[in-house]
Structure formats: structure tokens, C-alpha cells
Amino acid sequence: YPAIARPWGMNFWMPQTGKNGDGWGYTYAANKIIGLKQTHQPSPWINDYGTFSLMPVTGKRAVDQDERASWFSHKSEQALPHYYRVYLADYDTTAEVTPTERAALFRITFPKTEQAYVVVDAFENGSYVKVLPDQRKIVGWSTRNSGGVPANFKNYFVLVFDQPFASALVWKDKELKEGVLELKDDHVGALVQFKSEAAGTRVHVRAASSFISAEQAEANLGELGNRTFDAVADEGRQAWNKELGRIAVEGG
């Protein structure tokens, strides 16, 4: 799968075409994306653990993985070690991500619409989310795993947005919980709305996670600092060039 990361990074990011829990999270023959997922998966057979995803949608409050899926083409997709971009055709929206070792920066470009949303999916088998509108923040954790983890296993995550929420709520399974901003259950997530007053409106999301604590996830946001998306992406490109540049290929 396209694995977007820094060399030896703790977190990798990937476009998700397979259903939650499917070891084949991304297949080249697929034509729909259901999210941009943080992954730690070493192989399809071992499967993933401690994962969550983000998905931009417009026009409808679709949180279910099938209902929020968007058609995409490889012609409008770019996957590099340090950067990923895809055009989500159903929503006329472009999603980009570039990572650090323990964090990532998203850049979402919406069309003109008052119904622009970002869906956060904390996955099944035990999860938690809390929306903090005054801080433009979502915090939570995921316990999704395929075995081999300690009894108190959690992947804590934090998402900070650079635009205010027009509305916010949490959801359980497929059900939207109007007026509710915090929830713990088998499968929960969050939905935040933005007003994109002009085509090309951008929403940036700073994301980080930790297997230690929520406080450590917050601390890991510091890897991003206040740098721009392009600056973080360029640092990633240089990091990969430094490592892979140890090999010099010569000849015709």
C-alpha cells in the first residue's frame, strides 16, 4: 500500500479503500476511498492496530464507511514517501497529507459549500472521541488491534484544525448523536462542519498520536510547530533523500 511516512517513523498514513478491519487496506484495482488512515500494519496477514482515519465529505453528513466513500482515479492521485494527494471526485475535494515521525499535517481543499465536513473514525472494538469546539480540537483513542497487545492498549490521538467548526457532533456506528460532543463505545467517531465560502477554501489539520497517553499525543504535535504544509513536506523529501542518497547509481 502507499505508505506515507518519515524514515523509521512511528506512524504511517495511507489511503483506505478496504473496509475497516480488512488487512487489504488499499488495493490498486479499487475505485473508492473511504478515508486517510493512520496505520501501523506490517502486512495484510498480520493486519493493523491502533488505527483511526479522517475523511472529507461535502453535501451530506455521511459517516458510515460505505456511505462516505468517494470515487477516485489514479490519474488524480500522487503517492510519494513523504506526501500523498488525492482528488475525491464525489466531493470535488482534494485531500493531502505529509507526516513527521509521530505527527502529520493535512491540507483539505473544499469547493464552495456550506456543507463541508471532516469525518473522524476511531474504528471498532472499543473507541472514544471528544470534540472541543472552542479549541478547534478532537481528541480520542482507538483500541483496534489483531492480538499481541497488552491489556491496557490504546492509541491516543489529537486533531487540531485551523478553522472554526460551524457545527460538531459525535456518532456511534451509523447514528449521529445530535448535541453530543463526547462518547465511548464499541465504534465511535466525530463529524465537524466548515463553511467553505469560496472554491479553494483550505482546512489544515494537525494530527498526532501516542501509545503512552493523551498528554504525550499532545506533546507530539510539537513536531509540526507552526510550519506550513509545504515546509513540512519539503523536510520529509529531504529526510528521504538523505537516507536513500547513501546509494549512488551510475552507468547507462
Side-chain angles (χ1 to χ4, degrees), residues 120 122 128-132 135-141 156-161 170 181-183 188 190 208 214 217-218 221:
V120 177
Y128 165 80
V129 288
K130 182 178 182 179
V131 184
L132 302 162
Q135 301 179 46
R136 303 176 183 175
K137 181 186 293 187
I138 299 172
V139 298
W141 44 255
Y156 300 89
F157 60 82
V158 56
L159 309 169
V160 179
F161 298 76
V170 295
L181 297 177
E182 183 177 13
L183 189 61
V188 301
E218 291 269 1
L221 276 177

Side-chain angles (χ1 to χ4, degrees), residues 2-244:
I4 317 303
R6 288 288 177 93
W8 302 291
M10 185 183 108
N11 297 327
F12 285 55
W13 292 88
M14 65 176 290
Q16 182 186 356
T17 64
K19 294 184 182 296
N20 288 0
D22 187 349
W24 300 94
Y26 179 95
T27 53
Y28 194 79
N31 58 19
K32 286 190 175 182
I33 282 178
I34 65 173
L36 297 176
K37 185 178 80 163
Q38 185 188 97
T39 178
H40 309 95
Q41 178 170 296
S43 79
W45 298 275
I46 296 175
N47 215 312
D48 215 337
Y49 61 95
T51 188
F52 66 97
S53 70
L54 287 74
M55 181 64 181
V57 301
T58 62
K60 58 181 180 179
R61 300 193 301 175
V63 298
D64 176 72
Q65 58 184 329
D66 293 324
E67 296 174 359
R68 71 183 188 231
S70 171
W71 184 86
F72 79 106
S73 167
H74 295 301
K75 293 180 179 180
S76 58
E77 179 188 42
Q78 183 180 11
L80 300 170
H82 66 285
Y83 169 78
Y84 179 80
R85 182 188 75 236
V86 67
Y87 176 68
L88 302 170
D90 287 351
Y91 304 123
D92 191 20
T93 295
T94 298
E96 303 167 273
V97 60
T98 187
T100 61
E101 291 184 347
R102 300 168 189 84
L105 185 57
F106 291 82
R107 182 166 65 189
I108 303 167
T109 306
F110 285 112
K112 182 178 180 180
T113 176
E114 291 191 356
Q115 294 177 298
Y117 304 94
V118 173
V119 181
V120 177
D121 191 338
F123 278 56
E124 302 90 346
N125 299 341
S127 49
Y128 165 80
V129 288
K130 182 178 182 179
V131 184
L132 302 162
D134 57 330
Q135 301 179 46
R136 303 176 183 175
K137 181 186 293 187
I138 299 172
V139 298
W141 44 255
S142 168
T143 63
R144 181 83 197 197
N145 68 86
S146 302
V149 300
N152 63 345
F153 172 79
K154 287 185 177 71
N155 184 29
Y156 300 89
F157 60 82
V158 56
L159 309 169
V160 179
F161 298 76
D162 70 341
Q163 301 295 327
F165 304 153
S167 68
L169 53 78
V170 295
W171 53 272
K172 173 187 173 184
D173 300 322
K174 300 180 182 181
E175 182 184 357
L176 301 176
K177 300 290 186 178
E178 302 287 353
V180 180
L181 297 177
E182 183 177 13
L183 189 61
K184 179 173 67 173
D185 213 295
D186 180 73
H187 182 196
V188 301
L191 178 74
V192 291
Q193 178 186 4
F194 303 92
K195 291 185 178 180
S196 179
E197 296 180 349
T201 295
R202 285 176 167 173
V203 174
H204 293 82
V205 191
R206 296 162 63 235
S209 65
S210 167
F211 291 121
I212 299 172
S213 66
E215 293 76 17
Q216 186 62 50
E218 291 269 1
N220 289 344
L221 276 177
E223 292 186 351
L224 295 167
N226 294 319
R227 297 192 301 285
T228 65
F229 184 95
D230 292 334
V232 175
D234 188 60
E235 288 177 8
R237 182 186 61 81
Q238 292 182 46
W240 279 107
N241 280 344
K242 177 182 177 182
E243 299 305 329
L244 300 180

